Amino acid sequence: MSGSEERTPLRVEGLSLLTSRDILLDRLSFAVEPGEVLALSGDAGAGKTLLLRALASLAPKGITVLGDIHIRGRRILVTQDGALDPLRPLGAQFTELLAHQSGMDERTALRRAAEALERFQVPAAARRLALHPHELGEAMRWRAALALAMAAEPALLLADAPAAALDPTQRVRLLSDLAAWTREAGTALLLAGRPQPDPIQADPVHSGLADRRLILAQGRLEAPEEEPTPAPPPVEPAPSGPPILSVRDLRVAFPLGRSWRGEERWLTVVDGLSIELAEGETLALLGETGSGKSVLARAILRLVPPVGGQVSWLGTDLAAAPPEAMRRARRDLQILFPDPLAALDPLMTIGAQLAETLESLRPTRSPADRAARMAEALEEVGLPTAVLDLHPGSLRPAEAARAGLARALLPEPRLLVCDEPAATLDGAERADFLALLQAIRRRRRLALLYATQDAAEGLRMARRGLVLLLGRIVESADSAVLAAGARHPYSRALVAAAGLVRPALHGDPPSPLRPPTGCALRLRCPLAHDGCAQVPPSLDPVAPGHRVACHVAQDEAQDGAQSGGKAP
Amino acid sequence: MLSLVLRRVLAAVPALLGLALAAGVVAALAGPGWAPALGAALAALPATLALILPALALGTGLGALLGVLGGSGAILGGVGPAMPGFLLAAVFAVTSATAPVLLGVAAVALPATAQAAVLAGRARAGAEDTVLLAARGRGVDGSALLWRLSLPLGLSAAVGGLRSAVAGTVTAAVAVESLFGTGFSGAGRLFVEAARAGDASMAVAALAGLCGLAVLLNALCGALHGWIDPRARMA
Amino acid sequence: MHGPAGTDSHWRDGPWQKAGQRLTAHRPAAAGLTVLAALMLAVAAGLVAGGGPVGAALAAGHQSLTFALFAGLGGAALGLLWAATAVALGERAERAMMTPATALTGLPLALALPLAGGLLGPERGLAPMAVVTALIAAPAVAVVARDELRALLRREFLSAAQAAGIANGRRLRRHILPNAVLPLAAAAWTALPRALMAESLASLLGLGLPEGVTGWGTAIGAAARAGDAVALAGPALLLALTLWALHGVGDGMRLAFSTTGGHR
């Protein structure tokens, strides 16, 4: 055994995990060197969590572990939810763990804790140590969980899909901070991806988030193949013609009750938005949690009542439309929901629900014609007609997504509003579904409104993109322009996070209950200056077809125009 | 902690006043002499409290421990619904030749123990794949895990469920006081005797006193829950 | 592409069958159902055969169970009505109606029955006692039912129905009501053990079922006062068994049918 092998924190040889009936993992062999980041990807149920638990000697009951696991030094497993002790403040958890593991006294431990939190850019770290986990935001809780693990100076850190539920800009930043620290400290980091659409799944090596990547499939480990770069989507001609959908100054807000002084308090989710969409046009709504993209999608279909502004379809104001006109508009406007299974009534068969939709939106059709339509729609989305007799409970997520698409296509809509339609799918199923959606949209010349938090996916699906922040548009441009040269710092962060590049935004998003004065991004923005706190920036053109709401970007664009159009 | 207790108790004041008012009105309508009846009921409350409080404390603590440990706790929790306090009181009253006080407390405490065991066991099972697994992943194990994490979590769940246990305990105490001849003479006994005699003012006053006791105990349990579990301090 | 999920023999099983399977998969619920069915048969047999201490205990069960059934059904109906009205009337009315219900669940409400028994005197009828029992059982049902209804109204398939242009009345009939049946049944079931407990407690104190009607509680109370352990054993065991079965089934229903996740 050579000297370098002596120092290898994790070496696995012929590791198999068995239940009494199945082989879950089959003779895996790999090693992680000090300071190395190994990314582990694989579909849902591939056994990533199981492998990590086995490596931590915490395999669930009823699972037999065969083979050799050599671990040198301390190992720490950070579980999928990164749970902390809910009953005690952070500081106490740090001191207890450090005292237990290295006999550290309380003051040293608290200092170490504050330093660890600062590595993840937690401002005023020492003060946070008095807080309980439930008093922290989700992002802060994850920083604390990872800081707690790293403060114990493990030789091997097993992280199971850390911070999977966070928004991409926060998550990628957190992961790159973690990778930087483990490399510096010489800790071996085994990072599992989660089954959902996950950047770690895609390719963390290119971006430097990981040094090596392994894929877990059918119980075996595989080295990743060179994935062909997806062909750039064919450039479609910009659709022309008058807008079919026009949204003007739309405002959606929810009452929060009265304050103690008797003032009505409102949570504003969509704040004076205007959109126009021409026949066959595709538009991506990009933004993270709380950006209002989902509520906007629903407000357009009047599934959520707006408090102000106007939505008109083909010149008809939907707010004032009589029931008959509204029914006609509903025929044209259809929606795909983020959880397609939850969007189907569990007590009715798929056939009954499709028939009900047709009956409601196309009442003039004869029953025979309806049956033919339903069969056609199912064929179009690639489902067998036997699905008509099934209840939603017996569908898999991918089938439910297709059934939802079939229902949306039945009334022959002209605009499809999609709210994260593939959120429950992963891997190949996700790609298949999106390709199907794209193909159907082209064939039927549908207009598309596609809301997503994954900038790369949104820009692939649509010709134009809108970036939303706290219910307002901060940038609007063609997808190609946004992908290559977004001007707003928030758009740039979204695009960067989608490519797994560390976004330049710091801190956490502001609370929608108490948005900052001036620009909504200024507390996270690296470019913010004093002026940003004064006036909220308006959405102004910086180039033809490109509008930005950012003081800095607008100033730059003006300077560029004055110096002969040579923008940096 | 003190401010939390004060806040909880103050929050219960309107309910208590409402109860007193309702009792006063009903008793006054029922006949004269409601003021002494209310006085007698209040004077009898401490005896009932002396039966309920140790039973609740003992039951919750023991139940939480048994529930977290599993095994006998799970069995106790499983048969819990079959033994409401009044039924135990009747059974113990027949068989008790010796130590009636202990048996009386046991009749009140056992259902509370069973409920605490169920809640604590459920909390522990729920935490098994989250908080407890995360702690194991950080290298905490064995008795440290039990005493520092499992038991506090179980206790928090048991105390959080005390609200319904309090109502059941008060009911059980009434049955114990009425069935065990000696040793117990609190508001429960007063209530049953007044009801049997058809003495409306006394019965209503005693019932109002018992309800007030439940409200007060609920407030204190809320405060205790907040002390154990910071998540419960918000509301 | 992929065929319909699960091509095994159960693939056509509808959601109602699946809910039933979930219920019987919960062991206390399956045992509870069996025990309840056996009790019904035994009580009926006891009525016919009669005689002996066992026969007497079974005959007493007839009175107790009938009373608990009617009072419990009344309480369940009242509680469901309470919750449905609160949810239908909008947010402010809902808060005003549900706050007292929640407050009432923290009180020893069961004691209202012996109080009523005492005040109504020895010639009390069965009907007023049943009404009081129903009132005792209602608040807890209302609280659970309100939570279930709120959770149901937030479900996404109702938005989908709206997007399909389905009118409100039809949405209520076709989607909301059918999906409310099982969760509300689970909420309503809790009224049965509550009614049985309240009645037994009151009868045990001699203030429950009117004189001449002998329930389990009456028999237990008489035996306890006489110090007769043998006479107490039969009715006490039967009452304990019934309560256990009712709770077991209720627990199973909550886990199998509830939309709020089953844990309160």
Side-chain angles (χ1 to χ4, degrees):
Chain A
M1 203 178 272
S2 72
S4 74
E5 270 189 22
E6 285 289 328
R7 295 197 315 115
T8 304
L10 171 68
R11 201 153 46 76
V12 176
E13 276 162 24
L15 174 70
S16 299
L17 296 189
L18 318 166
T19 63
S20 51
R21 272 180 297 168
D22 271 319
I23 300 178
L24 301 173
L25 296 179
D26 187 14
R27 284 164 294 162
L28 310 183
S29 299
F30 62 96
V32 192
E33 301 297 327
E36 189 187 24
V37 181
L38 175 64
L40 185 70
S41 43
D43 283 346
K48 302 184 294 289
T49 298
L50 207 57
L51 173 60
L52 259 57
R53 283 186 68 167
L55 293 180
S57 310
L58 293 172
K61 273 187 196 131
I63 290 199
T64 319
V65 182
L66 300 176
D68 294 328
I69 302 174
H70 302 280
I71 291 175
R72 309 231 173 276
R74 184 177 297 151
R75 85 192 134 187
I76 285 192
L77 167 70
V78 177
T79 49
Q80 217 159 33
D81 55 359
L84 295 163
D85 179 351
L87 305 184
R88 278 183 300 159
L90 286 185
Q93 304 191 33
F94 274 97
T95 49
E96 188 179 11
L97 184 72
L98 295 179
H100 174 77
Q101 295 209 323
S102 21
M104 202 178 275
D105 68 85
E106 191 176 333
R107 280 189 53 188
T108 331
L110 285 178
R111 203 168 53 238
R112 172 81 70 85
E115 285 165 12
L117 285 177
E118 272 159 14
R119 296 278 326 217
F120 288 108
Q121 272 119 37
V122 176
R127 256 188 293 147
R128 311 255 174 181
L129 291 176
L131 295 179
H132 289 89
H134 74 276
E135 293 164 304
L136 305 172
E138 177 78 0
M140 196 56 78
R141 221 172 42 69
W142 267 107
R143 289 183 199 124
L146 292 174
L148 181 59
M150 282 304 287
E153 297 183 325
L156 168 66
L157 182 62
L158 307 160
D160 189 1
L166 284 191
D167 285 331
T169 55
Q170 287 178 311
R171 178 163 196 241
V172 172
R173 198 172 162 100
L174 185 69
L175 291 181
S176 63
D177 285 345
L178 177 66
W181 191 0
T182 54
R183 281 180 186 134
E184 188 188 311
T187 300
L189 173 61
L190 182 57
L191 194 63
R194 66 168 174 159
Q196 293 286 323
D198 184 347
I200 290 190
Q201 295 283 8
D203 198 355
V205 179
H206 268 305
S207 56
L209 216 56
D211 301 313
R212 212 148 52 85
R213 173 168 172 240
L214 288 174
I215 298 175
L216 203 55
Q218 272 103 43
R220 312 289 305 245
L221 274 184
E222 295 164 6
E225 298 161 20
E226 269 304 308
E227 276 171 34
T229 41
V235 180
E236 292 173 42
S240 51
I244 48 173
L245 174 76
S246 113
V247 175
R248 236 167 294 144
D249 290 327
L250 189 68
R251 262 175 54 79
V252 183
F254 300 107
L256 290 175
R258 289 172 188 282
S259 71
W260 54 277
R261 267 186 272 167
E263 297 159 5
E264 285 256 13
R265 294 192 309 139
W266 291 84
L267 173 66
T268 303
V269 185
V270 175
D271 195 2
L273 259 176
S274 301
I275 299 177
E276 292 201 333
L277 204 65
E279 181 95 58
E281 186 168 5
T282 55
L283 181 65
L285 302 173
L286 307 176
E288 303 190 310
T289 316
S291 62
K293 57 186 188 314
S294 177
V295 172
L296 171 65
R298 278 155 205 250
I300 288 174
L301 276 89
R302 293 198 65 78
L303 300 181
V304 177
V307 293
Q310 203 183 39
V311 178
S312 23
W313 173 253
L314 297 174
T316 318
D317 180 6
L318 292 187
E324 193 43 43
M326 192 63 213
R327 188 193 300 274
R328 245 176 290 131
R330 288 219 181 278
R331 186 187 295 171
D332 292 341
L333 298 165
Q334 281 293 308
I335 180 168
L336 297 187
F337 290 94
D339 183 351
L341 201 54
L344 293 165
D345 187 335
L347 296 184
M348 287 168 79
T349 60
I350 305 296
Q353 301 189 52
L354 294 188
E356 188 181 40
T357 303
L358 256 189
E359 210 173 302
S360 155
L361 294 180
R362 296 270 176 192
T364 50
R365 292 258 155 80
S366 72
D369 190 25
R370 265 183 219 151
R373 290 275 160 191
M374 276 155 49
E376 258 173 52
L378 282 183
E379 198 189 333
E380 192 170 2
V381 300
L383 285 178
T385 41
V387 166
L388 288 178
D389 296 331
L390 294 184
H391 285 91
S394 40
L395 296 185
R396 293 186 308 109
E399 290 161 350
R402 282 161 198 256
L405 179 58
R407 174 168 65 179
L409 293 177
L410 266 182
E412 292 161 45
R414 294 165 70 180
L415 167 65
L416 202 53
V417 178
C418 302
D419 181 11
E420 297 264 14
T424 53
L425 308 181
D426 58 281
E429 284 182 342
R430 183 182 176 89
D432 283 352
F433 181 75
L434 292 182
L436 175 73
L437 181 60
Q438 191 72 293
I440 288 176
R441 183 194 64 73
R442 286 218 186 87
R443 192 177 330 128
R444 294 191 171 222
R445 296 177 201 288
L446 292 174
L448 186 74
L449 210 56
Y450 193 91
T452 179
Q453 63 167 354
D454 181 349
E457 181 183 297
L459 296 180
R460 249 196 332 272
M461 292 297 292
R463 205 189 58 81
R464 279 176 59 74
L466 288 186
V467 182
L468 300 183
L469 177 65
L470 277 186
R472 294 187 186 195
I473 302 178
V474 295
E475 185 157 12
S476 137
D478 283 357
S479 292
V481 175
L482 276 180
R487 303 277 187 101
H488 197 284
Y490 184 64
S491 323
R492 271 189 234 157
L494 277 182
V495 173
L500 286 191
V501 178
R502 188 169 190 271
L505 299 182
H506 47 78
D508 295 332
S511 156
L513 293 175
R514 221 168 298 143
T517 58
C519 173
L521 191 69
R522 72 180 167 88
L523 297 176
R524 298 181 72 196
C525 182
L527 309 177
H529 52 69
D530 293 344
C532 295
Q534 310 293 329
V535 217
S538 56
L539 189 65
D540 290 328
V542 290
H546 189 170
R547 293 186 301 159
V548 179
C550 171
H551 293 307
V552 181
Q554 284 163 7
D555 292 347
E556 273 174 14
Q558 269 180 8
D559 293 349
Q562 279 161 11
S563 62
K566 283 182 192 167
Chain B
M1 178 62 197
L2 194 64
S3 74
L4 186 65
V5 173
L6 274 179
R7 251 192 305 142
R8 289 295 152 113
V9 173
L10 283 181
V13 164
L16 287 175
L17 286 179
L19 272 174
L21 193 67
V25 169
V26 173
L29 285 178
W34 58 273
L38 208 56
L42 284 178
L45 278 183
T48 309
L49 189 65
L51 171 62
I52 291 176
L53 213 50
L56 261 186
L58 199 72
T60 309
L62 192 65
L65 183 62
L66 289 176
V68 165
L69 290 175
S72 59
I75 296 172
L76 181 67
V79 298
M83 40 178 212
F86 66 88
L87 191 57
L88 286 179
V91 173
F92 289 166
V94 167
T95 53
S96 81
T98 53
V101 177
L102 274 185
L103 280 177
V105 174
V108 181
L110 259 174
T113 316
Q115 193 196 337
V118 169
L119 292 174
R122 215 182 273 164
R124 189 216 138 99
E128 195 62 50
D129 274 338
T130 60
V131 180
L132 295 181
L133 181 65
R136 287 201 185 97
R138 286 191 278 270
V140 185
D141 219 335
S143 67
L145 194 68
L146 173 67
W147 293 107
R148 304 289 289 166
L149 202 51
S150 301
L151 189 58
L153 284 174
L155 202 57
S156 161
V159 173
L162 272 180
R163 207 182 133 74
S164 56
V166 164
T169 315
V170 172
T171 316
V174 171
V176 167
E177 286 182 6
S178 142
L179 289 172
F180 281 62
T182 51
F184 301 100
S185 53
R189 185 158 199 187
L190 203 62
F191 166 71
V192 175
E193 277 169 4
R196 279 204 192 117
D199 179 354
S201 49
M202 181 60 93
V204 170
L207 181 57
L210 289 169
C211 286
L213 194 64
V215 170
L216 213 56
L217 280 174
N218 273 332
L220 288 177
C221 291
L224 181 64
H225 192 204
W227 181 59
I228 295 175
D229 192 336
R231 289 170 294 183
R233 274 174 220 166
M234 312 283 242
Chain C
M1 57 159 286
H2 18 251
T7 36
D8 50 312
S9 58
H10 295 296
W11 69 281
R12 259 173 197 279
D13 274 4
W16 299 96
Q17 289 94 315
K18 277 192 181 156
Q21 285 162 11
R22 281 203 302 276
L23 176 63
T24 46
H26 183 69
R27 229 182 296 158
L33 282 173
T34 321
V35 167
L36 283 182
L39 268 174
M40 294 284 179
L41 285 177
V43 166
L47 271 185
V48 178
V54 180
L58 288 173
H62 173 69
Q63 312 289 355
S64 273
L65 287 178
T66 317
F67 182 87
L69 182 67
F70 281 107
L73 285 180
L78 210 57
L80 294 184
L81 194 67
W82 191 332
T85 318
V87 170
L89 285 183
E91 218 162 300
R92 192 168 291 178
E94 184 178 331
R95 217 169 310 134
M97 286 179 75
M98 293 319 293
T99 313
T102 318
L104 282 175
T105 53
L107 296 181
L109 275 188
L111 294 178
L113 192 60
L115 178 69
L119 297 190
L120 290 170
E123 284 85 40
R124 54 187 175 260
L126 270 176
M129 293 304 278
V131 170
V132 175
T133 314
L135 284 172
I136 288 170
V141 175
V143 170
V144 182
R146 193 274 304 256
D147 289 355
E148 292 290 351
L149 284 176
R150 275 273 146 241
L152 173 61
L153 290 179
R154 272 197 302 271
R155 289 177 69 180
E156 188 98 295
F157 64 82
L158 295 177
S159 297
Q162 200 184 345
I166 291 162
N168 281 343
R170 191 179 158 88
R171 210 153 59 108
L172 181 68
R173 270 197 325 278
R174 293 288 303 260
H175 296 285
I176 298 180
L177 285 183
N179 278 289
V181 168
L182 288 181
L184 290 187
W189 184 271
T190 57
L192 292 177
R194 223 171 270 273
L196 182 59
M197 282 225 272
E199 179 269 313
S200 301
L201 169 73
S203 303
L204 186 145
L205 298 173
L207 296 164
L209 296 178
E211 269 165 38
V213 184
T214 308
W216 281 331
T218 326
I220 295 171
R225 273 186 289 277
D228 182 356
V230 180
L232 183 125
L237 270 179
L238 284 175
L239 178 60
L241 200 61
T242 315
L243 283 175
W244 181 81
L246 286 173
H247 273 282
V249 175
D251 253 17
M253 284 173 83
R254 201 193 57 210
L255 290 174
F257 303 157
S258 172
T259 28
T260 52
H263 289 293
R264 291 182 35 80

